[in-house]
Amino acid sequence: MAIDGPAASGKGTLARRLAEYYGYHHLDTGLTYRAVAKALLDQNMPLDDEFLAEKAARSVDLSKLDRTVLSAHDVGEAASKVAIIPAVRRTLVSAQQGFALLSPGAVLDGRDIGTVVCPDAPVKLYITASPEARAQRRHDEIKASGGDADYQDILEDLTRRDARDMGRTDSPLKPAADAHLLDTTEMDIETAFLNAKTLIDQALARETRNTK
């Protein structure tokens, strides 16, 4: 299953719920870019050195991605810069494609899963929500974990990130032509999950019919 969408759209939470429900493996591909960024930050290396970034990408272990550590704001900012390096994208996409082949199935979420990583996935979802709703969710998450957050700063940060993700020349964020669009602006996670499950079950049923 390929699940794409902008930051804070709910795609990660939804992907984890779906993977658990269907008994599939799950990979948040954004964490792979964050792992590269953190490796460079930890060694005080430049974020725009293609050779060093590619070397860091080759050392990423998909089974040891620590969401708590990699979710730090500075790591996220660095990751969005590392993610535009073509050699890094090639290396990580190859690793992600290997993960997608795991049995009995896999759910991958990110920004280019349906378009680049798994263009032949039988199920593709593009999860979106208004920038204001996404900023409010991120604000509430930070506050709930005891952090300090300013809604306007978060909204501006998300807007910048959207522009960067959608405007890059290599693997820009956009819905795959055959992706099912799911706007979660007015949905809680349970409603989004039920809507996604309905779309997935229909797609899997079609896939089963087509292979007979």
Side-chain angles (χ1 to χ4, degrees):
M1 298 180 195
I3 301 181
D4 292 304
S9 60
K11 67 180 183 297
T13 303
L14 187 57
R16 290 192 293 276
R17 282 285 303 273
L18 291 168
E20 182 181 3
Y21 178 81
Y22 288 98
Y24 287 179
H25 302 277
H26 169 248
L27 177 63
D28 175 349
T29 61
L31 293 182
T32 65
Y33 292 95
R34 285 171 174 262
V36 174
K38 187 170 190 312
L40 295 174
L41 290 173
D42 286 350
Q43 299 175 68
N44 292 315
M45 292 180 174
L47 298 173
D48 58 355
D49 187 306
E50 185 163 357
F51 174 79
L52 293 175
E54 182 182 12
K55 184 179 179 182
R58 292 188 182 283
S59 68
V60 171
D61 185 341
L62 299 187
S63 68
K64 296 180 180 178
L65 299 173
D66 188 327
R67 175 177 302 279
T68 303
V69 172
L70 297 177
S71 291
H73 180 74
D74 63 326
V75 176
E77 282 293 297
S80 66
K81 297 171 183 175
V82 167
I84 65 174
I85 300 175
V88 170
R89 299 200 71 84
R90 284 195 300 272
T91 298
L92 294 181
V93 165
S94 178
Q96 292 159 14
Q97 288 172 331
F99 185 93
L101 298 175
L102 290 175
S103 180
V107 179
L108 282 74
D109 72 87
R111 289 170 172 76
D112 62 348
I113 311 304
T115 54
V116 175
V117 180
C118 300
D120 297 323
V123 180
K124 298 179 187 176
L125 299 178
Y126 188 86
I127 314 300
T128 189
S130 70
E132 292 78 14
R134 292 188 285 127
Q136 190 62 54
R137 289 172 189 169
R138 182 61 54 82
H139 175 271
D140 293 346
E141 284 175 6
I142 296 172
K143 284 289 191 181
S145 62
D148 187 34
D150 180 83
Y151 169 81
Q152 197 59 41
D153 288 346
I154 294 171
L155 179 59
E156 291 172 4
D157 179 53
L158 286 177
T159 303
R160 283 195 302 271
R161 186 170 297 187
D162 286 350
R164 208 158 43 210
D165 290 340
M166 295 175 182
R168 67 186 180 220
T169 54
D170 190 358
S171 308
L173 168 64
K174 63 179 182 180
D178 55 347
H180 298 282
L181 298 181
L182 188 61
D183 189 327
T184 65
T185 300
E186 303 293 337
M187 296 182 187
D188 59 20
I189 184 58
E190 191 61 31
T191 305
F193 170 75
L194 292 174
N195 276 268
K197 179 180 173 300
T198 297
L199 292 170
I200 290 167
D201 288 344
Q202 291 171 349
L204 292 177
R206 282 195 300 272
E207 180 76 6
T208 300
R209 286 197 302 269
N210 293 336
T211 56
K212 286 183 178 178

